Amino acid sequence: MKRRSFIKAGIAALAGLRKGEYIYLGVGGALGAAAVGGALMTPSLPRKVKNDYNRARSVKSVCLNCSTVCGIEGFVIDDRVVKIRGNPKDPNMGSYMTCAKGQSGPTINDYPERLVYPLKRAGARGEGLWQRISWEEAYDEIAGRIQKSIDDGHPERVVLHAGRSRINTEIKRFLGAIGSPVQLNHRALCSSSKRGANYVSLGDTDWESIDAERCRYFLNFGSNFYEAHQGGLHLVKRVIKARFDHGATLVTFDVRLSNTAGRSDEWFAPFPGTEGAVALAMAHVIMRESEFDREFVEHFVNLSATEIIDFLSDYTPEWAAAESGLAAADIERVALAFARARPTAVAFTNRGTGSHYNGMNAERAVVMLNALVGSIGRPGGYCYGTEEKLRAERYPQPEPIPPKPAVRTDLEDPPEWPLANRWQKMKVGQIVYEYIRQGRAKVDVYLSYTISSPMNWPEGRTTTVGVLKDESLIPFHACSDVVYSEMAHYADLILPDATYLERWGLETRSSPELRHFVTLRQPMVAPPGEARSYADVLFDIGRRLGPEQARYFEFGDHEAFVRHQCRHIPAGDEADGFEWMKRHGARVDEVPKSYEVHRRVLSDAELAGARIDDDRGVILQRDNKGQEQAIGLMIDEGGAPRAVRGFGTPSRRFEIYSREVAEVAREQGIHHDGLPGYLPVPAHVDLPEDRFILTSFKWNVHTQGRTANQKYLSEIVHDNPMWINPGTATRLGIVSGDLVELTTYRPLSSDRGDRAFRGTGEPIGSQQVRVVVTEGIHPRVVAISNSLGYVVSGRAAMARQGSRAQEAALGHKAYGPAPERDDLRDHLWWDKRLGGRGNGVNVNALQPINPEPLIGNQAWFDTVCSLRRLKERRI
């Protein structure tokens, strides 16, 4: 049979696609947005609409256009979300304000390329030929395959890979019912080093909640919180207030003049990966000059002042200057200014410090500065520990609750990075596809949700795509997505997802207001066509499994699940806590701010049956299994002994020395003394003059694979030229507008014993990139923003103007008369075919898989590259 003879063509036929009929979502070798038109069933909106807000219905919910998840209020007219603003009852923002990504929310529901029917692959993976099927057919196939894995005694071969889903409780329930522990995430591509450092030091795995409004001195290492920090908008608001109200100082260390660096009082550009050296030298100065908090160190740090001074003795400003390229006098001056602002002084980080081979050590060194000046937990200081998870006793799930799976696999718990899963499910997601390729883990069913690994993973266009296409490695892949994506392109089933404005969920987050709060995500409108919330999809699949699994899903749909979670929330004048949350959107605990949690006095009930280890002053108590656990400290304040909580570490003190880190390193054959010392990045040692270091960054309107299809955001940022320093450009004969060939290389092997993913410097790949010359970049660094460069997506992300009908049917060829209601037909001015810049390049595709030792955080910013000017020159 000739397949092409029965494929539907043209927008009218696509809009009426019936069950069993086929559509083509690929165009030759260019997997363009032109191809996606076949999936769309919802009309685009007029560009200009005058809304009568007197007719609008207000709905409180939660944004998910980035990981900050702000409380929002939507306005709905005629079943359309027409406006989004902030919900002032969310304490993090506390106002009607929201960022550009939040404002863009209404456009998500009206994507011209929304997927609204389940689709089944009809050709080879990656060919782009699909057949419309029913949900029943999709459920039967997925449930049947999962049940077979269960019956075969291998539930761990069912893998669920999710990005920022915000339905972690629901996913865990589904996998728990199956008996699979393999819930993969992207943590190692993001924040493992930072979370690991906080846990080693404080016993808390979440981000700090800086009391920024009261701070007098901000020491920022690698955080661009004006644009891309988790909770950045909340931090910006408070930093601005601190600087306006009492002249707070902001000092930033970053290889690039980010928008945050540009708004700082001082900006320093250290050599990449040397932030930890700078922090250690500052600590040296603080201790040498006795500008540290003696009381805090004596009571709450697990090393004495003498031991700390000894540890820091070699880390002088002159040594750090040689490593970082900064002036020793500046390092000393800033260290003393920071220390003398104590305790209203904060040293903090983000990916610029953590995404290196030595990332966790560097993060620990920066966090240590807060301990030395006694700002931890203090007003205006480095506060923490205010995120309360969706605990069963406070936000209960429907009974029965499935047990935690007992089995482990290398895929979800890789032994080469023992710290990745020890404290929290941090994962080492960048090695997943390579481990599947190597046969380290067998996969029967691969479920993907809110993740686009071909776009966002290191080596995504090579290693990732190669494994996703190989049916011998991944026999079955079901992808849930809102639009046709690079992940969906390599699936066997596509499940049309609801957007975050069309589904339920309960959210908690760390709060700069230092009080626990909870927010409710609720649908503002119903999903279009047959699109369904992924939580409901999982619950529906669960009910189709055997009786042992199905009993965990008898409670009903996702709304019923969330209603049950809200049952203990005070109802006020509403019928119950769920109705109260629907009306208000957020609830904050009316309690004092959680300053100095480590000084909280333990009650007699908490101390029942406890004993004191006299040598360490640690309070020990036996748990339900008969094991002694540290629950607090005895400290002497003014001659009166007090039993206090301390920190959540094994010693109940802030841990500069970590026995656990030292022990697990030894097990891996890596020498590590347990201290946050400085480790040079192996790939950067003796860097040849013709090699540079590639870094990447985010603009404030984009978040990796989530935003490029939102036309109004891509209109603001759709291209990503490479930043290069003027001195470097002159030496290479490059000027702004030139095209250069960028080639990246695998990191050289280190001599520290870590075995995985070491290379010999061989090339990874090359890409042609346009250049912009700027003094806002370190001379040995080039920078390209991420979140762009799609090869499969919607027209906005692909920068392809034209009607859906003609783009779907004819690919690159034609532009017919624009449908009146299609804004992407003739307003997509950055299309290269019209003389625009196009949609940029995918910098992640050039990055090597490069996990940091022990914890596995991706060393994004260690990548070595070379540049070659091409003859063509562009304006």
Side-chain angles (χ1 to χ4, degrees):
M1 179 182 296
K2 293 183 179 180
R3 182 183 297 150
R4 297 297 189 270
S5 65
F6 58 84
I7 299 174
K8 289 289 182 177
I11 194 63
L14 293 166
L17 188 73
R18 295 188 294 271
K19 291 185 180 66
E21 293 185 331
Y22 295 80
I23 56 174
Y24 186 64
L25 303 184
V27 181
L31 305 175
V36 234
L40 54 94
M41 303 299 301
T42 54
S44 297
L45 299 176
R47 296 189 75 239
K48 300 289 185 181
V49 178
K50 185 175 181 179
N51 296 310
D52 179 3
Y53 288 99
N54 292 321
R55 299 175 49 227
R57 174 172 55 91
S58 166
V59 185
K60 307 295 196 306
S61 194
V62 186
C63 187
L64 192 52
N65 239 353
C66 81
S67 63
T68 298
V69 291
C70 300
I72 55 175
E73 180 181 15
F75 295 90
V76 181
I77 299 176
D78 297 332
D79 293 325
R80 284 179 39 230
V81 182
V82 297
K83 181 178 175 60
I84 294 287
R85 68 181 184 184
N87 178 5
K89 293 190 177 182
D90 179 334
N92 279 356
M93 199 64 243
S95 73
Y96 292 116
M97 185 173 72
T98 188
C99 71
K101 296 188 293 292
Q103 294 284 346
S104 182
T107 69
I108 301 172
N109 292 17
D110 300 310
Y111 277 153
E113 289 91 5
R114 276 295 297 267
L115 293 166
V116 294
Y117 297 140
L119 300 172
K120 182 175 182 177
R121 176 169 63 89
R125 276 194 193 159
E127 181 182 349
L129 184 64
W130 299 91
Q131 180 185 24
R132 179 184 167 184
I133 62 172
S134 69
W135 272 108
E136 291 302 312
E137 291 173 291
Y139 283 153
D140 286 346
E141 179 154 8
I142 297 171
R145 288 177 178 269
I146 292 174
Q147 191 65 56
K148 185 178 187 306
S149 295
I150 295 171
D151 293 344
D152 288 346
H154 290 292
E156 78 282 357
R157 294 180 181 175
V158 178
V159 173
L160 199 153
H161 203 168
R164 291 191 177 104
S165 68
R166 309 306 296 176
I167 54 168
N168 188 57
T169 302
E170 293 86 333
I171 289 173
K172 284 187 179 298
R173 185 183 188 94
F174 178 77
L175 291 175
I178 292 169
S180 173
V182 191
Q183 180 182 350
L184 305 174
N185 60 33
H186 70 294
R187 179 63 52 72
L189 305 184
C190 181
S191 61
S192 290
S193 288
K194 183 177 186 69
R195 292 174 185 266
N198 270 346
Y199 193 84
V200 167
S201 305
L202 304 166
D204 190 278
T205 61
D206 200 31
W207 296 61
E208 70 279 354
S209 300
I210 296 169
D211 193 29
E213 193 171 325
R214 295 161 187 81
C215 185
R216 299 298 180 97
Y217 204 103
F218 297 96
L219 199 53
N220 167 28
F221 289 84
S223 171
N224 183 16
F225 60 88
Y226 271 83
E227 296 189 275
H229 189 104
Q230 181 169 288
L233 190 62
H234 310 148
L235 183 56
V236 166
K237 172 185 174 182
R238 290 164 174 84
V239 169
I240 290 173
K241 189 174 189 335
R243 299 182 77 188
F244 181 81
D245 286 354
H246 45 256
T249 298
L250 172 61
V251 177
T252 292
F253 295 82
D254 197 327
V255 298
R256 183 181 67 90
L257 184 61
S258 66
N259 275 319
T260 303
R263 287 165 171 78
S264 300
D265 295 281
E266 292 191 85
W267 167 54
F268 298 97
F271 189 84
T274 64
E275 294 86 353
V278 174
L280 288 166
M282 288 184 173
H284 172 101
V285 172
I286 290 168
M287 297 303 294
R288 184 195 71 197
E289 299 299 319
S290 295
E291 293 284 358
F292 63 95
D293 188 316
R294 292 182 180 276
E295 188 274 340
F296 184 87
V297 170
E298 178 184 350
H299 286 148
F300 291 107
V301 175
N302 74 336
L303 295 182
S304 68
T306 300
E307 289 171 320
I308 297 170
I309 290 171
D310 182 61
F311 155 53
L312 295 170
S313 61
D314 292 334
Y315 296 125
T316 65
E318 291 74 23
W319 164 83
E323 293 291 331
S324 67
L326 305 183
D330 286 333
I331 295 172
E332 184 153 346
R333 174 178 56 81
V334 171
L336 291 175
F338 168 76
R340 289 166 182 167
R342 65 184 186 274
T344 55
V346 170
F348 63 101
T349 65
N350 204 312
R351 296 178 185 90
T353 299
S355 296
H356 289 288
Y357 174 90
N358 56 16
M360 191 172 76
N361 259 24
E363 297 273 9
R364 289 175 63 196
V366 174
V367 176
M368 179 181 66
L369 292 173
N370 299 286
L372 298 184
V373 302
S375 71
I376 293 181
R378 300 284 292 276
Y382 190 91
C383 297
Y384 67 96
T386 60
E387 179 179 12
E388 186 173 358
K389 308 297 183 183
L390 292 173
R391 296 183 302 148
E393 61 270 28
R394 186 162 186 173
Y395 306 107
Q397 296 183 44
E399 297 287 347
I401 299 173
K404 183 179 178 180
V407 67
R408 66 156 297 280
T409 73
D410 284 0
L411 204 57
E412 53 86 29
D413 187 13
E416 292 90 342
W417 296 277
L419 298 185
N421 274 9
R422 186 165 298 216
W423 307 310
Q424 157 182 110
K425 292 294 185 181
M426 294 181 179
K427 312 294 185 183
V428 189
Q430 66 270 52
I431 57 90
V432 163
Y433 301 103
E434 179 62 22
Y435 271 22
I436 293 173
R437 188 188 66 80
Q438 293 175 8
R440 290 281 296 271
K442 185 173 175 58
V443 175
D444 294 336
V445 178
Y446 180 79
L447 307 173
S448 64
Y449 174 55
T450 67
I451 199 161
S452 186
S453 306
M455 177 68 192
N456 299 329
W457 249 236
E459 302 183 41
R461 295 272 167 78
T462 51
T463 300
T464 299
V465 168
V467 172
L468 288 174
K469 289 178 70 174
D470 192 333
E471 295 181 56
S472 69
L473 298 175
I474 298 180
F476 179 73
H477 173 195
C479 173
S480 176
D481 217 328
V482 173
V483 296
Y484 193 63
S485 64
E486 294 192 29
M487 198 69 169
H489 191 65
Y490 299 105
D492 301 301
L493 286 183
I494 300 176
L495 311 177
D497 190 24
T499 71
Y500 69 81
L501 299 177
E502 299 164 347
R503 65 176 177 89
W504 295 97
L506 204 62
E507 295 271 12
T508 60
R509 254 300 184 231
S510 57
S511 171
E513 288 303 300
L514 307 179
R515 297 185 180 98
H516 170 72
F517 75 105
V518 63
T519 54
L520 175 71
R521 175 174 291 110
Q522 61 179 315
M524 295 184 181
V525 292
E530 296 180 10
R532 293 185 186 177
S533 159
Y534 195 58
D536 276 320
V537 169
L538 294 179
F539 296 163
D540 286 343
I541 293 170
R543 282 187 283 270
R544 284 166 170 77
L545 299 174
E548 179 58 30
Q549 293 78 38
R551 66 194 182 97
Y552 297 115
F553 304 98
E554 293 175 354
F555 55 83
D557 61 11
H558 196 203
E559 179 179 355
F561 183 89
V562 174
R563 180 183 289 275
H564 194 93
Q565 287 182 299
C566 294
R567 66 188 308 171
H568 296 328
I569 294 175
D573 296 331
E574 302 295 332
D576 55 28
F578 180 65
E579 294 299 325
W580 192 97
M581 290 296 295
K582 284 173 63 178
R583 179 179 176 185
H584 298 278
R587 187 174 191 91
V588 185
D589 283 358
E590 296 298 328
V591 296
K593 292 189 177 185
S594 55
Y595 292 121
E596 296 191 282
V597 177
H598 53 280
R599 291 185 185 271
R600 182 174 63 80
V601 176
L602 298 177
S603 67
D604 291 341
E606 290 172 313
L607 292 169
R611 73 174 184 89
I612 300 172
D613 183 325
D614 292 329
D615 292 335
R616 299 180 297 154
V618 177
I619 302 170
L620 301 170
Q621 191 177 66
R622 293 194 181 278
D623 59 19
N624 294 333
K625 297 180 180 179
Q627 302 293 318
E628 276 196 331
Q629 301 288 335
I631 65 166
L633 289 174
M634 290 299 300
I635 64 172
D636 189 337
E637 290 191 330
R642 298 173 61 197
V644 298
R645 174 190 180 274
F647 291 96
T649 59
S651 67
R652 304 304 288 189
R653 291 177 167 86
F654 182 98
E655 295 203 347
I656 294 178
Y657 165 74
S658 171
R659 180 191 302 272
E660 188 170 17
V661 170
E663 288 177 351
V664 297
R666 191 179 307 118
E667 293 167 3
Q668 292 297 308
I670 299 173
H671 173 71
H672 197 303
D673 59 10
L675 295 165
Y678 175 69
L679 305 170
V681 176
H684 297 177
V685 176
D686 298 325
L687 187 70
E689 284 300 312
D690 64 344
R691 297 292 167 92
F692 304 92
I693 300 167
L694 174 65
T695 191
S696 59
F697 61 95
K698 290 181 183 177
W699 293 108
N700 63 343
V701 296
H702 283 304
T703 54
Q704 293 287 48
R706 196 181 291 271
T707 51
N709 276 301
Q710 296 168 48
K711 188 257 186 183
Y712 302 108
L713 297 180
S714 281
E715 189 169 38
I716 298 169
V717 175
H718 47 265
D719 187 20
N720 50 353
M722 182 175 70
W723 296 29
I724 188 170
N725 184 275
T728 306
T730 298
R731 182 158 57 88
L732 298 177
I734 294 171
V735 299
S736 288
D738 276 356
L739 284 176
V740 302
E741 182 181 69
L742 169 69
T743 302
T744 56
Y745 303 89
R746 293 199 180 281
L748 294 171
S749 298
S750 77
D751 58 0
R752 295 190 58 251
D754 49 306
R755 299 179 297 279
F757 297 98
R758 294 186 295 173
T760 57
E762 66 271 19
I764 296 170
S766 298
Q767 178 68 266
Q768 293 185 10
V769 190
R770 186 171 58 88
V771 163
V772 59
V773 178
T774 172
E775 293 183 0
I777 190 77
H778 190 284
R780 299 308 303 273
V781 177
V782 294
I784 302 176
S785 70
N786 54 31
S787 311
L788 300 174
Y790 289 77
V791 296
V792 177
S793 200
R795 282 173 289 168
M798 292 289 296
R800 294 188 56 81
Q801 176 174 294
S803 75
R804 295 172 297 182
Q806 290 179 320
E807 289 289 299
L810 301 174
H812 304 286
K813 305 287 185 183
Y815 307 93
E820 180 182 351
R821 296 170 63 84
D822 189 349
D823 192 38
L824 297 178
R825 186 192 69 173
D826 48 13
H827 296 288
L828 214 153
W829 47 267
W830 57 97
D831 188 332
K832 274 188 177 180
R833 301 169 299 180
L834 304 176
R837 297 283 194 194
N839 70 333
V841 299
N842 179 6
V843 65
N844 298 332
L846 298 178
Q847 299 276 10
I849 298 171
N850 190 18
E852 174 190 353
L854 300 183
I855 201 164
N857 199 90
Q858 170 70 10
W860 288 111
F861 306 144
D862 290 353
T863 302
V864 172
C865 66
S866 62
L867 307 175
R868 182 174 67 90
R869 187 177 73 83
L870 302 177
K871 291 183 179 180
E872 179 184 354
R873 178 166 291 177
R874 297 180 60 198
I875 296 175

